Amino acid sequence: MRKGYKELLAEADAVVETLQATQALALQGDPGVVFVDLRDPREIQREGRIPGAFACPRGMLEFWIDPDSPYAKPVFQEKKRFLFYCASGWRSALAARTAQEMGLEGVAHLGGGITAWKQAGGPTEMPPAR
């Protein structure tokens, strides 16, 4: 059975906690929360990022989460809350669902992405030049 992106997003929204930008702003700087930026590195270079965010390109997510992967990243083995975000909230909803299915706990995503974050007055920083 074919599923389009709308069905996949609806399924993700049904099982993933969505935080609004104002809720996410309250978590910024909390050492128990990791903001995970799923955008392409070029997007981050062009538009900035949430200060302190961990950059994880969407295409590497499964490999970086799985502790059995040769590409596993230690940050995903920490007992923290993970707040995924992208540009508008679509990739982050799908990624957060995948992360939950892989057993990652404390997962949520930023509804509206960094666009909503900026509209709510959230700070951004430019990453170092590549």
Side-chain angles (χ1 to χ4, degrees), residues 7-78:
E7 290 84 9
L8 293 171
L9 285 170
E11 290 174 0
D13 285 336
V15 297
V16 172
E17 179 183 10
T18 302
L19 297 182
Q20 299 309 310
T22 53
Q23 295 170 296
L25 277 164
L27 298 175
Q28 191 193 21
D30 182 331
V33 178
V34 177
F35 283 75
V36 180
D37 192 332
L38 297 160
R39 296 173 300 147
D40 180 273
R42 291 168 296 205
E43 289 177 273
I44 297 170
Q45 286 292 326
R46 185 176 58 242
E47 300 163 19
R49 65 180 178 202
I50 295 173
F54 176 74
C56 174
R58 176 62 190 94
M60 293 304 295
L61 181 70
E62 292 83 352
F63 302 103
W64 287 11
I65 289 176
D66 188 342
D68 295 329
S69 165
Y71 302 104
K73 296 291 184 185
V75 66
F76 289 116
Q77 308 316 311
E78 296 177 11

